Amino acid sequence: MPTPSMEDYIEQIYNLIEEKGYARVSDIAEALGVHPSSVTKMVQKLDKDEYLVYEKYRGLILTPKGKKIGKRLVYRHELLEQFMRIIGVEEDIIYNDVEGIEHHLSWNAIDRIGDLVQYFEEDSKRSEELKTVQKRNETDPV
């Protein structure tokens, strides 16, 4: 099982490959805000753990195992962002909130959040009712 740090790298590598068709050490470093040497060390570890295949100076590719996990990590991140929007979290803080919690939730919790997102999306009245409750709570002192 990958660590939270490994998950961040796998997720970013997956995103870069989806967007650009490739992921270079420099691209990963820029996206994650870390030094290329740190990326190289992590990429070597991910290679050893069979999440990707890394050839020095040639680049890297995700293994089927890496692709599967990458796809699931991207899904988790996008789902949590979607959930935050539904519950009314301010847009400018959603990304940081998701980054702060995504590694601390079980996959069971993620699945339940998925159910809740689906519940709200199936009937827009539910979202409106939630907004009514939120407005009432903002104006009623505790």
Side-chain angles (χ1 to χ4, degrees):
M1 201 67 184
T3 65
S5 180
M6 291 167 76
E7 286 183 347
D8 285 339
Y9 278 84
I10 294 168
E11 181 180 359
Q12 193 57 57
I13 291 165
Y14 182 88
N15 280 331
L16 285 167
I17 291 171
E18 287 293 305
E19 291 169 18
K20 300 170 97 174
Y22 60 90
R24 297 180 309 200
V25 167
S26 59
D27 297 325
I28 300 163
E30 183 181 337
L32 293 174
V34 299
H35 292 284
S37 60
S38 298
V39 174
T40 299
K41 287 177 188 172
M42 179 59 81
V43 165
Q44 289 169 342
K45 181 167 178 40
L46 293 170
D47 183 17
K48 180 179 171 270
D49 291 347
E50 300 179 344
Y51 293 106
L52 55 81
V53 176
Y54 173 65
E55 293 181 27
K56 195 172 184 179
Y57 307 117
R58 298 214 38 171
L60 56 93
I61 59 167
L62 289 170
T63 63
K65 173 181 168 181
K67 283 181 188 174
K68 181 178 179 182
I69 289 174
K71 187 174 184 175
R72 186 144 169 90
L73 295 172
V74 169
Y75 164 77
R76 175 180 72 185
H77 189 98
E78 290 173 350
L79 177 69
L80 290 172
E81 284 189 355
Q82 193 176 7
F83 175 68
M84 294 287 182
R85 285 186 188 93
I86 286 171
I87 63 172
V89 175
E90 295 172 20
E91 191 66 36
D92 61 331
I93 62 174
I94 287 175
Y95 181 82
N96 286 336
D97 282 354
V98 169
E99 284 296 312
I101 66 170
E102 67 183 340
H103 301 295
H104 302 283
L105 297 172
S106 68
W107 286 105
N108 182 261
I110 296 297
D111 289 342
R112 298 300 66 80
I113 289 170
D115 295 342
L116 193 56
V117 166
Q118 180 181 351
Y119 173 80
F120 279 102
E121 288 180 337
E122 285 177 351
D123 187 345
S124 61
K125 290 179 190 173
R126 295 171 182 153
S127 292
E128 294 306 316
E129 290 169 356
L130 176 61
K131 288 176 187 172
T132 300
V133 169
Q134 290 170 330
K135 284 181 182 174
R136 186 173 61 237
N137 288 340
E138 288 174 6
T139 59
D140 290 346
V142 176

